[in-house]
Amino acid sequence: MAPPAKIRLSTTPTRQDLEALRLGDIVHLDGLMYTAREGVYKRALEEQANIPMELPRESAANFHCSPAASIDADGSFRLGAVTATASFRFEKWLGEWFEKSGARLIVGKGGMSSATYKKHFVPNGAIYLTTVGYGTGALLGRGVENVEAVHWEKELGLAQAMWVLKCRDMGPFIVASDLEGNCLFERENAKIAENLHRAYEGTRPAVLKRYGETDDRSDELIG
Amino acid sequence: MIPIDLIQSTAENLMDKAAIEIPDDYLSGLEAAAHVEDGDLSAFVLQAMLENYKAAKEDRRAMCGDTGCPRWYVKMSNEAQVQGGPVALETALRRATAAATNGVPLRPNRVHPLWRTDHDNNVGIAAPEIEYGFEPAPGGEWIDLTTVHKGGLFGTDYRMLFPSDGIEGIKRFYLDSLVAFGKRGLSCQPAIIGIGLGGSKDACMVLGKRAACLRTVGDRNPDPKIAALEMEFKELGNSIGMGAMGFVGKSMVIDCHIEVGYCHTGGMQMSVHAFCLSSRRACARIWADGRVEHRTDPAWFTPYQRRETVEWPTALAAE
Ligand code: SF4
């Protein structure tokens, strides 16, 4: 099978740039990208703190990530590897975040649901890029030309701070949603589910079920 | 007497190695998986991972940006004495963890569960974990330090099964765990899967985690029937139809290791642990005379660790 196409994409992409992307395409990024996860969302949205960047002019790419990095005594940064964290936990902030930040690329681990894409991404002309592996932290680290700034480090700590990364040919990332809100992972899961029964042949569900995984409070749990 | 400074400097070195250098056994396992993978996206992911390990070594940077939760396994020969005693030993390991977090650098992952306090050094209450084992080893005075930086959030589960669940129930829970955490690749498969069977709940978790983190690819349980199960489970995991990142494929399990412990007669505890694509472990033996021997195989599970009876005959120990 031919290796998937590799595409260079700006972190302030146009609508046309994003229209050209297909689920499963391999993308490398150029431009500024900032990290924002629960700490930044809470501070910017719940505490209404002023975002210390001009968004989306400077960057329309939000990375769900905390880098392996340290700040030296002289204030300079040392950044090693960069890996995303699982995005599904951040859904509840995304609607408001899109409004405030104008983001058009959400970059993270594992994607989100097609329902989330349709509700929040499509109206904002945004797509989702997933990191690869997901452990390709050293490759991604190579793609960071410079750490431009670290905002809110005192308030949020190193892991939750807002890191501003200057990216050059940073990748690989995989296109996991498109402008219509289609979801790569759901497409793959559907294909896998078709054949899953074969692996499950000759197995049996546990005799004691778990309480609390459904909302049926009358569950007897045995048998 | 084993010098405490040597323990600390070796420990710092191990932290660096674990974070940066993928162990050879896992690397060969992944290369073999990449060789047979024919799902196009899964195959792309495996190739990217292989390039990533190379980049990490070349640049001396951590292989994954999430550098996991560093922990320590300490094993001492029966005759080992550490300068300053066990408190000095634990202090040295905590210092090495903090120093390497800043030095490599690693990600300061460890926070207070409620207040999210972050010391930015991976040290805190009950962190890093330090576990101990002992070995008869007559005539030797040494300490084995193994650090494992295990990826944190996904791929591990526990269930109380019962004898009537049988092998079918064990297989079911195994598959359920692989599929649940394999979807969207949350557990960063393909991984070394460790399974704990029996013990008590906590012992079962410990056995499964050690099976995943302290045994190398290709290693088999000395009980031939358990060894056969390990092979069968590896095969089973790779026939789900899922590969790296939850894409269509056939690589989920690089190897499967099972460890057992005696349990309550009515139960059959089971735990499943996935040691992710960044299977980070590094080990060294430090001798009292100052020699340090590095290796990637912790060689934790010796006949002594799996002993079944009350006494341990010295004749056996001398082997
Ligand atoms: S689980 Fe994935 S992201 Fe986490 S340490 Fe392992 S390879 Fe990295």
Side-chain angles (χ1 to χ4, degrees), chain A:
Chain A
M1 188 116 13
K6 179 184 144 181
I7 297 154
R8 295 281 284 261
L9 186 71
S10 158
T11 56
T12 51
T14 63
R15 188 165 175 94
Q16 287 86 323
D17 291 340
L18 299 185
E19 266 165 4
L21 298 176
R22 300 281 162 266
L23 295 186
D25 281 351
I26 310 302
V27 163
H28 287 233
L29 290 174
D30 296 287
L32 291 187
M33 175 153 71
Y34 59 87
T35 68
R37 49 186 299 176
E38 58 268 50
V40 168
Y41 292 149
K42 277 192 191 151
R43 197 164 153 75
L45 302 176
E46 291 167 22
E47 295 162 23
Q48 298 283 333
N50 279 331
I51 300 173
M53 285 180 80
E54 206 193 305
L55 302 179
R57 193 187 57 80
E58 290 182 79
S59 171
N62 173 181
F63 197 7
H64 289 157
C65 156
S66 326
S70 60
I71 301 182
D72 285 334
D74 64 359
S76 63
F77 313 112
R78 268 184 311 131
L79 181 131
V82 185
T83 300
T85 194
S87 299
F88 69 87
R89 301 121 77 197
F90 308 132
E91 204 230 313
K92 69 169 184 175
W93 291 291
L94 269 188
E96 247 188 290
W97 181 253
F98 275 126
E99 248 171 61
K100 205 156 190 162
S101 69
R104 286 191 297 281
L105 298 172
I106 299 290
V107 185
K109 170 176 176 178
M112 308 186 81
S113 68
S114 56
T116 302
Y117 293 144
K118 295 208 159 93
K119 187 163 164 213
H120 296 306
F121 285 63
V122 173
N124 289 293
I127 64 158
Y128 187 98
L129 300 178
T130 177
T131 52
V132 172
Y134 296 87
T136 47
L139 288 180
L140 296 183
R142 273 186 175 178
V144 177
E145 209 171 30
N146 190 34
V147 177
E148 299 281 296
V150 182
H151 302 299
W152 294 345
E153 179 259 323
K154 289 224 165 51
E155 295 86 343
L156 302 175
L158 277 182
Q160 291 282 341
M162 189 173 190
W163 292 74
V164 185
L165 312 175
K166 187 170 177 206
C167 313
R168 180 139 174 258
D169 196 9
M170 181 181 183
F173 301 100
I174 300 179
V175 176
S177 86
D178 59 21
L179 284 177
E180 277 142 39
N182 295 307
C183 173
L184 174 68
F185 287 106
E186 286 176 17
R187 187 188 82 185
E188 295 288 302
N189 281 340
K191 284 190 218 161
I192 291 165
E194 276 172 31
N195 298 317
L196 217 46
H197 63 274
R198 283 196 223 139
Y200 271 80
E201 260 164 41
T203 74
R204 210 174 34 206
V207 294
L208 181 66
K209 308 291 179 296
R210 284 169 164 173
Y211 192 73
E213 290 191 346
T214 70
D215 284 334
D216 180 0
R217 303 282 172 241
S218 64
D219 227 333
E220 286 288 347
L221 305 179
I222 55 173

Side-chain angles (χ1 to χ4, degrees), chain A residues 66 78 80-81 83 109-110 112 131 133-139 142 185 188 192 196 199-200 202 204 207-208 210, chain B residues 52 58-59 61-65 102-103 107 158-159 164-165 168 172 175-176 184-186 240 245-246 248 277:
Chain A
S66 326
R78 268 184 311 131
T83 300
K109 170 176 176 178
M112 308 186 81
T131 52
Y134 296 87
T136 47
L139 288 180
R142 273 186 175 178
F185 287 106
E188 295 288 302
I192 291 165
L196 217 46
Y200 271 80
R204 210 174 34 206
V207 294
L208 181 66
R210 284 169 164 173
Chain B
N52 184 69
E58 280 168 17
D59 301 3
R61 62 170 95 222
M63 62 182 93
C64 181
N102 209 262
R107 197 162 98 182
Y158 167 85
R159 188 149 193 161
S164 63
D165 280 306
E168 294 103 319
R172 175 63 165 249
L175 286 174
D176 286 346
R184 294 171 183 255
L186 288 182
I240 292 174
M245 284 179 74
V248 172
L277 272 165

Side-chain angles (χ1 to χ4, degrees), chain B:
Chain B
M1 185 90 75
I2 300 163
I4 194 70
D5 290 348
L6 189 59
I7 289 182
Q8 190 175 324
S9 60
T10 306
E12 275 182 44
N13 202 335
L14 287 172
M15 290 285 291
D16 182 88
K17 278 182 178 298
I20 294 172
E21 299 169 14
I22 194 76
D24 283 337
D25 63 283
Y26 182 79
L27 182 63
S28 329
L30 193 73
E31 279 165 348
H35 194 68
V36 296
E37 182 56 84
D38 52 15
D40 50 350
L41 282 168
S42 289
F44 171 79
V45 177
L46 297 186
Q47 279 313 324
M49 282 312 303
L50 292 171
E51 276 172 43
N52 184 69
Y53 300 137
K54 246 175 76 201
K57 271 195 216 165
E58 280 168 17
D59 301 3
R60 297 305 300 169
R61 62 170 95 222
M63 62 182 93
C64 181
D66 184 340
T67 51
C69 289
R71 56 165 50 221
W72 292 97
Y73 294 93
V74 176
K75 199 192 260 185
M76 287 186 206
S77 70
N78 191 37
E79 289 160 34
Q81 285 196 13
V82 171
Q83 180 193 4
V87 172
L89 167 66
E90 294 200 326
T91 306
L93 295 180
R94 287 170 80 88
R95 283 191 185 144
T97 305
T101 298
N102 209 262
V104 176
L106 306 180
R107 197 162 98 182
N109 270 336
R110 295 281 197 155
V111 301
H112 190 286
L114 290 171
W115 326 131
R116 315 312 285 182
T117 317
D118 192 340
H119 297 157
D120 279 341
N121 63 8
N122 280 318
V123 176
I125 301 171
E129 296 85 351
I130 306 177
E131 295 181 37
Y132 297 92
F134 304 94
E135 207 63 41
E141 187 179 5
W142 49 258
I143 180 169
D144 272 359
L145 297 182
T146 300
T147 187
V148 168
H149 300 178
K150 192 177 171 305
L153 303 181
F154 308 103
T156 295
D157 208 353
Y158 167 85
R159 188 149 193 161
M160 174 61 105
L161 299 176
F162 301 91
S164 63
D165 280 306
I167 291 287
E168 294 103 319
I170 293 176
K171 276 190 191 162
R172 175 63 165 249
F173 184 53
Y174 171 69
L175 286 174
D176 286 346
S177 308
L178 289 190
V179 175
F181 296 115
K183 281 190 186 228
R184 294 171 183 255
L186 288 182
S187 58
C188 289
Q189 68 265 19
I192 302 174
I193 304 293
I195 296 177
L197 288 175
S200 46
K201 181 174 189 174
D202 55 344
C204 179
M205 291 298 284
V206 167
L207 284 170
K209 189 155 201 159
R210 289 179 178 176
C213 300
L214 298 179
R215 286 178 53 193
T216 54
V217 175
D219 179 45
R220 295 275 71 91
N221 191 294
D223 179 325
K225 284 200 217 124
I226 296 179
L229 263 186
E230 291 178 339
M231 295 303 290
E232 187 187 339
F233 278 28
K234 177 181 172 187
E235 198 72 359
L236 180 63
N238 287 334
S239 64
I240 292 174
M242 193 186 271
M245 284 179 74
F247 296 138
V248 172
K250 48 182 164 190
S251 28
M252 285 294 280
V253 182
I254 294 298
D255 206 349
C256 178
H257 297 138
I258 301 175
E259 288 299 324
V260 299
Y262 276 36
C263 59
H264 187 288
T265 181
M268 190 171 65
Q269 295 82 347
M270 173 164 176
S271 71
V272 178
H273 302 251
F275 196 13
C276 65
L277 272 165
S278 302
S279 298
R280 295 164 293 213
R281 62 170 130 74
C283 183
R285 175 164 294 185
I286 308 169
W287 296 82
D289 62 13
R291 268 178 302 147
V292 178
E293 295 159 356
H294 283 273
R295 58 182 205 260
T296 52
D297 180 358
W300 182 272
F301 286 100
T302 55
Y304 181 72
Q305 302 301 323
R306 293 183 177 120
R307 65 197 181 279
E308 275 197 72
T309 51
V310 177
E311 305 297 332
W312 183 260
T314 352
L316 249 180
E319 267 178 33

